[in-house]
Amino acid sequence: MKCSYDVVVVGAGPAGLSAAKAAAEKGVKTLLVDKREEIGDNNHCGELLPSPSEMKSLLPSASGVEKLVDVPSRLIMARTRILRLVSPSGKFHEFPFESNIIDRRGFEKHLAIEASRYGADVMPSTKAMSMLQEQKGILATSKGKKIEIQSSITIGCDGIGSRVAKWAGLGNNMSPRDSIVGVQFEMSRIKVERDVVEMYFGANAAPGGYAWIIPKGDDVANVGLGIRAAFSERGVSVMEYLHRFINFNKVASKKVSKGTTVAFRKGVIPVGGPISRTFNGNVVVAGDAGAFTMAANGGGMPPALVTGKIAGEIAAEHLNERVDTSQYEKEWQRQIGKELKTALQIRRLIDKAMESDDKIESIMSRLGSKYMSELIRCRLPRILRIGAKIIRL
């Protein structure tokens, strides 16, 4: 079986959905394929999305970013206004930060419907197997049948370890130091502050990363953590760290230890900055496929939505013979490159503190809520910019 499109998007996460919608909106014939039977299934996300106004402040040069995170109210499980950072000793540092805690599965399905309304075809249960010669599309399987999908442009949004990136000769940033392994329970029957998101730091909580409690309702929350192997105890699994956090953390255990688990998610988050090259010939990659996450906090949805939108728009402009695909890299650099670079600098600075809980405690105390608010927003305060230059980050 053969079919022909202007653009084929591989992977229907936030990046792929954003890319398909943007390309279809520009009037090009677009196909979105995903190996899952149901779009939105099996996500591994904390489901926190900054509010539109907060998002505009975080990524001020990103075109139309407020609309990208403007989630229908029916898909918002909770609205939070405070971000609380908890030190290894249990000391609180908190500041205003507006977020919407969303139904991620519902949000992805909503984006798929939006893309289809603009004219994109959506094909679930379809796995990309290889790239056609001269990058003229992909060979895929769908419900046991082989399909040759011819296209002028392929947009890889197939996540960590992207096969599209590999086929196109693009690299990845998947070293142990640059990868966070995350696990999360959705828990009920726990004590929740409906408008407060908590992040916990320290070797006992989440070495090389942080743990979180993200409220989703009266007594429901996402409870999870992300760790990096380079900072973890030898032989201790990520699940064991989550067990310790839920049952023995001096602050968190009082809230969640008596809860019950209703869902489980796991995944890997790249925190080494974007891959060295995000395009090659007729292929571009967006979202996790290009390692587009905010390295300082692991946030992946905002840069995925932004880079997906840019990829779809550049693909359409390329087809109209206005730009080369190299313009994709120039455009995401212009819109979010500064913030991604700063986030990586911050992560590397934080790595110096991760060597011991005493260092984490001391730095959090010295910085206080004001400066930590800036770091979480991936901004480097002047006092830390000087430090970054000294250690040549």
Side-chain angles (χ1 to χ4, degrees):
M1 178 179 172
K2 293 183 180 181
C3 55
S4 181
Y5 286 84
D6 295 324
V7 175
V8 61
V9 182
V10 180
L17 292 160
S18 182
K21 178 182 175 182
E25 194 172 3
K26 292 282 187 179
V28 299
K29 189 179 180 184
T30 303
L31 174 66
L32 172 64
V33 303
D34 193 276
K35 64 183 179 181
R36 297 171 295 178
E37 292 183 356
E38 181 180 1
I39 290 174
D41 190 28
N42 195 33
N43 79 77
H44 53 268
C45 173
E47 299 180 299
L48 183 153
L49 198 59
S51 69
S53 59
E54 189 76 64
M55 200 69 255
K56 183 60 179 176
S57 174
L58 291 169
L59 299 174
S61 298
S63 175
V65 70
E66 305 101 315
K67 291 184 179 179
L68 291 176
V69 297
D70 189 10
V71 182
S73 58
R74 62 184 171 82
L75 299 176
I76 297 175
M77 313 303 292
R79 300 178 192 272
T80 62
R81 62 181 183 86
I82 298 294
L83 189 55
R84 177 182 295 153
L85 310 185
V86 184
S87 75
S89 71
K91 185 177 179 181
F92 291 176
H93 303 271
E94 59 184 44
F95 46 84
F97 191 101
E98 293 184 356
S99 300
N100 292 323
I101 315 306
I102 66 170
D103 171 2
R104 168 71 180 266
R105 176 182 292 192
F107 181 52
E108 289 193 1
K109 194 165 289 186
H110 161 75
L111 293 178
I113 292 169
E114 286 288 292
S116 72
R117 285 174 175 163
Y118 279 104
D121 288 339
V122 182
M123 192 182 292
S125 299
T126 303
K127 184 176 182 179
M129 302 303 295
S130 63
M131 186 161 285
L132 299 179
Q133 289 186 348
E134 299 180 356
Q135 299 180 339
K136 294 296 185 180
I138 61 170
L139 180 66
T141 59
S142 182
K143 299 176 182 177
K145 296 181 180 180
K146 289 185 178 181
I147 308 174
E148 186 177 301
I149 303 171
Q150 298 175 345
S151 68
S152 298
I153 297 285
T154 300
I155 303 177
C157 302
D158 48 336
I160 298 292
S162 166
R163 301 176 84 188
V164 172
K166 181 180 178 180
W167 297 332
L170 304 173
N172 66 63
N173 291 351
M174 294 299 295
S175 72
R177 197 170 187 86
D178 291 332
S179 304
I180 287 178
V181 179
V183 291
Q184 175 178 270
F185 291 151
E186 183 176 348
M187 301 184 73
S188 64
R189 210 170 61 207
I190 63 176
K191 297 178 182 178
V192 176
E193 293 177 74
R194 288 183 61 97
D195 62 348
V196 179
V197 172
E198 292 186 332
M199 298 168 63
Y200 293 75
F201 297 86
N204 288 325
Y210 61 87
W212 59 82
I213 299 177
I214 301 174
K216 293 186 70 175
D218 292 336
D219 66 342
V220 180
N222 288 330
V223 180
L225 52 78
I227 67 171
R228 281 184 286 159
F231 295 86
S232 304
E233 292 180 47
R234 193 183 185 105
V236 179
S237 70
V238 66
M239 287 302 299
E240 175 61 23
Y241 276 112
L242 183 56
H243 171 77
R244 291 181 187 179
F245 175 69
I246 289 171
N247 293 287
F248 302 112
N249 183 276
K250 64 180 68 177
V251 177
S253 63
K254 296 176 183 177
K255 303 179 180 186
V256 302
S257 62
K258 295 182 180 180
T260 185
T261 300
V262 297
F264 169 70
R265 302 183 183 100
K266 61 181 179 179
V268 180
I269 305 164
V271 290
I275 59 177
S276 58
R277 195 162 184 244
T278 57
F279 74 97
N280 186 13
N282 297 324
V283 178
V284 300
V285 293
D288 281 356
F292 288 104
T293 59
M294 308 306 290
N297 57 37
M301 264 201 290
L305 291 166
V306 172
T307 56
K309 177 175 179 286
I310 296 170
E313 291 173 342
I314 293 298
E317 291 181 21
H318 175 73
L319 289 162
N320 291 325
E321 299 183 350
R322 294 176 185 170
V323 299
D324 185 77
T325 53
S326 62
Q327 186 63 31
Y328 168 66
E329 195 153 294
K330 296 174 184 176
E331 192 59 27
W332 71 250
Q333 285 279 11
R334 183 185 71 80
Q335 292 195 29
I336 62 172
K338 177 182 177 182
E339 289 77 13
L340 291 172
K341 181 179 179 181
T342 301
L344 184 58
Q345 286 183 305
I346 292 169
R347 197 223 81 192
R348 288 173 174 166
L349 278 172
I350 292 172
D351 281 358
K352 304 294 181 181
M354 292 283 187
E355 295 170 359
S356 74
D357 280 359
D358 286 342
K359 284 187 177 182
I360 296 174
E361 192 75 41
S362 175
I363 288 174
M364 290 181 75
S365 179
R366 291 183 181 184
L367 290 175
S369 297
K370 177 183 177 181
Y371 286 131
M372 283 191 287
S373 169
E374 293 293 293
L375 293 179
I376 287 294
R377 290 180 165 90
C378 297
R379 300 172 189 152
L380 201 57
R382 184 175 180 276
I383 188 172
L384 291 180
R385 284 202 301 271
I386 297 171
K389 289 180 180 178
I390 291 173
I391 58 179
R392 295 181 180 179
L393 295 181

